[in-house]
Amino acid sequence: MTTTKHFQLKLRIDWSELDLFGHVNNVSYFKYIQASRVHYWEQMGIDVTKQPEPVGVMLASCTCKFMKPLFFPGTIFINVSVDFIKNTSFGFHHEILNEKHEVVAEAHDVMVMYDFNKNEKVLIPDELRKMME
């Protein structure tokens, strides 16, 4: 199941994110992806830090395909959308774009609903599923 609903986050490239070769270090891309995930939750009206029960989302995997380098100074745009929704997991697709709106990287996350007290996966609540669909 793929959706067209997505959110976009705009971030400024910081000088501290550069490597010895003068372009943005690969580790910074994963920070951008994390910021994109958090932005998604905020835009959906979900505060994952204030859940009444010990059930929440956990990142199971994150992959990134690097296509073009990023440089300082600059601005990036990150589009995030839901890739799939299963019983206990769902996926995000991230596109990182440069100031020319060229795709410089694509990333995919797998998120799992998790009960932190029981240390096990749980079903995605219907309310959350509906919000993502």
Side-chain angles (χ1 to χ4, degrees), residues 57-111:
V57 292
M58 177 186 286
L59 181 66
S61 72
C62 181
T63 60
C64 186
K65 179 180 177 184
F66 305 99
M67 300 156 152
K68 292 184 177 190
L70 288 169
F71 300 95
F72 175 85
T75 302
I76 61 168
F77 303 90
I78 309 166
N79 295 326
V80 60
S81 59
V82 176
D83 243 353
F84 65 86
I85 304 173
K86 295 183 180 179
N87 292 327
T88 61
S89 65
F90 55 92
F92 285 142
H93 176 250
H94 307 269
E95 281 185 326
I96 301 175
L97 304 117
N98 61 18
E99 290 175 321
K100 297 176 186 176
H101 294 278
E102 300 169 320
V103 177
V104 299
E106 284 192 49
H108 295 273
D109 295 335
V110 175
M111 306 293 295

Side-chain angles (χ1 to χ4, degrees), residues 5 40 44-46 126-133:
K5 183 177 184 178
Y40 178 88
M44 293 289 286
I46 299 169
D126 289 337
E127 182 179 333
L128 179 58
R129 180 181 297 277
K130 288 176 187 172
M131 291 176 80
M132 289 190 295
E133 288 175 344

Side-chain angles (χ1 to χ4, degrees), residues 41-42 44-52:
W41 294 123
E42 290 171 349
M44 293 289 286
I46 299 169
D47 184 351
V48 293
T49 63
K50 296 183 180 174
Q51 296 298 315

Side-chain angles (χ1 to χ4, degrees), residues 13-30:
I13 295 173
D14 191 86
W15 181 81
S16 67
E17 297 167 341
L18 303 183
D19 62 16
L20 291 173
F21 302 105
H23 53 69
V24 173
N25 186 285
N26 62 327
V27 173
S28 296
Y29 285 76
F30 287 95

